[in-house]
Amino acid sequence: MAIATPEVYREMLDRAKAGRFAYPAINVTSSQTLNAALRGFAEAESDGIIQVSTGGAEYLSGSLKNMVDGSVALAEFAHVVAAKYDITVALHTDHCPKDKLDGFMRPLIDVSAERVKAGQNPLFQSHMWDGSAVPLDENLQIAQELLAKCAAANIIMELEIGVVGGEEDGVANEINDKLYTTAEDVLKTVDAIGLGDQGRYLLAATFGNVHGVYKPGNVKLRPSILKDIQDAVAAKHPGHGDKPFDLVFHGGSGSTLEEIREALDYGVVKMNIDTDTQYAFTRPIVDHMFKNYDGVLKVDGEVGNKKTYDPRTYGKAAETAMAARVVEACTDLRSVGTKLK
């Protein structure tokens, strides 16, 4: 299957919620990190999600610094290299704040819309609108417009309400009470964009989530908030099950396994993984450089050692380590062995 069709992506999400597991959504910034993610999913026999952020998309385009070009190039590459794997992956774009909509999310939706008109599948299977920096009413007003565009292009939208603390791609938020989504917030969300009748969407509701690097215990997560908001919506809108939302877990670094598993029980079907895979990729490169200092550098007039400064040498080690971290994420999220047959 390789890259999921819209129908298969929906099936993936349905299976995850029913089975109380979630897909790791791995942020990538290069062909190497993409290959590492694919390898990790394959080794875990898990389907998954590969995503690119605004900063990652700009980086992928090189000196062009064009987020759309970088995203399209990554997606086209992924369609080719993923085709030989016996797993299924969906392609997703991560946080898109208001000031980047016209240079990132909207034109990418247009790319997929043109493909759908031509009888093809969308290039990306989902896109995230991050309106956490604007008032909720404005967030939902923009979400209505974007959800309609996504639905027309057979794409699932991800919406964030509440605020994720810390910093990612230049977007920084304080760590305070705004990190906790309320039942009132989610009921307003349903009033504005429905529960799938206007287009399917994933909800990134916040329960103390923080981007960045934190030791276990430093992040004050309250996964029970996810149950509270599911219960509130289920009570007011019967007929959508006891977990009406497909939830997303952002800012998971430093979370305990107990907290992660509790969130899965409340309807989390996607968990973003970035900080930990970045470190897993970089650590073997640092190790290689320290151990082969006089080979990777031409020290004191010597010629160095081509075999040690060949990027493929340390690149392979980096990919192997990152793939192992993806397998660990699949284990934590209970997705090991759940791939579509």
Side-chain angles (χ1 to χ4, degrees):
M1 175 61 66
I3 304 300
T5 64
E7 295 75 22
V8 167
Y9 189 29
R10 286 163 172 75
E11 181 184 353
M12 286 170 58
L13 298 175
D14 290 342
R15 290 177 69 247
K17 186 189 285 186
R20 298 188 302 115
F21 66 89
Y23 298 105
I26 308 299
N27 279 70
V28 301
T29 55
S30 65
S31 60
Q32 282 189 297
T33 50
L34 170 62
N35 284 330
L38 290 171
R39 175 178 170 180
F41 287 134
E43 291 178 356
E45 296 188 336
S46 169
D47 301 319
I49 298 170
I50 290 172
Q51 61 189 24
V52 59
S53 66
T54 55
E58 183 179 272
Y59 178 77
L60 278 158
S61 73
S63 60
L64 296 176
K65 294 188 175 181
N66 184 296
M67 294 181 289
V68 173
D69 288 343
S71 300
V72 170
L74 172 80
E76 295 287 6
F77 181 82
H79 276 77
V80 174
V81 298
K84 300 296 176 66
Y85 284 87
D86 62 350
I87 52 163
T88 305
V89 293
L91 301 180
H92 175 80
T93 60
D94 203 4
H95 295 269
C96 182
K98 181 180 177 181
D99 64 337
K100 290 184 169 63
L101 282 172
D102 288 337
F104 188 54
M105 184 171 171
R106 285 191 178 111
L108 285 173
I109 295 173
D110 290 341
V111 168
S112 286
E114 289 301 315
R115 288 171 60 96
V116 170
K117 285 180 183 178
Q120 300 173 293
N121 288 317
L123 188 61
F124 282 85
Q125 285 65 60
S126 52
H127 295 292
M128 180 187 180
W129 151 235
D130 182 356
S132 60
V134 301
L136 181 60
D137 288 345
E138 182 182 1
N139 181 351
L140 296 176
Q141 183 179 13
I142 294 172
Q144 287 177 321
E145 171 238 328
L146 294 172
L147 182 59
K149 289 181 180 294
C150 284
N154 217 357
I155 296 167
I156 293 174
M157 186 184 79
E158 180 179 332
L159 166 71
E160 181 169 312
I161 59 174
V163 175
V164 175
E167 188 274 336
E168 181 177 57
D169 269 356
V171 178
N173 291 304
E174 294 181 6
I175 299 175
N176 54 35
D177 287 344
K178 292 182 180 180
L179 305 186
Y180 303 97
T181 298
T182 66
E184 182 183 7
D185 293 337
V186 296
L187 290 172
K188 278 189 175 182
T189 299
V190 174
D191 288 342
I193 61 174
L195 277 170
D197 50 298
Q198 299 177 42
R200 187 162 181 174
Y201 63 92
L202 306 171
L203 183 69
T206 54
F207 52 103
N209 317 61
V210 179
H211 288 133
V213 184
Y214 298 87
K215 292 181 179 180
N218 288 354
V219 178
K220 306 302 180 183
L221 289 178
R222 291 164 52 193
S224 61
I225 284 177
L226 300 180
K227 183 179 187 304
D228 293 341
I229 64 177
Q230 296 277 34
D231 289 348
V233 173
K236 188 171 181 180
H237 299 274
H240 294 275
D242 60 347
K243 292 182 285 189
F245 287 122
D246 298 327
L247 298 175
V248 182
F249 190 153
H250 284 254
S253 296
S255 304
T256 66
L257 183 59
E258 181 182 15
E259 290 167 335
I260 292 171
R261 295 280 174 83
E262 184 181 356
L264 301 183
D265 292 339
Y266 300 147
V268 166
V269 297
K270 171 180 179 280
M271 180 175 176
N272 290 12
I273 312 288
D274 189 15
T275 302
D276 291 345
T277 46
Q278 286 178 344
Y279 181 78
F281 185 85
T282 300
R283 182 64 181 83
I285 298 175
V286 174
D287 187 59
H288 177 86
M289 297 304 170
F290 278 133
K291 290 180 177 178
N292 298 281
Y293 177 83
D294 57 352
V296 296
L297 297 178
K298 297 181 179 182
V299 179
D300 297 331
E302 296 297 325
V303 297
N305 183 341
K306 184 179 183 300
K307 289 184 178 180
T308 60
Y309 62 72
D310 183 339
R312 291 171 294 184
T313 303
Y314 50 86
K316 289 176 183 177
E319 288 183 29
T320 298
M322 180 173 165
R325 184 60 183 83
V326 172
V327 172
E328 181 183 339
C330 292
T331 302
D332 291 347
L333 298 179
R334 303 180 182 139
S335 71
V336 171
T338 64
K339 68 177 183 177
L340 291 164
K341 305 302 182 185

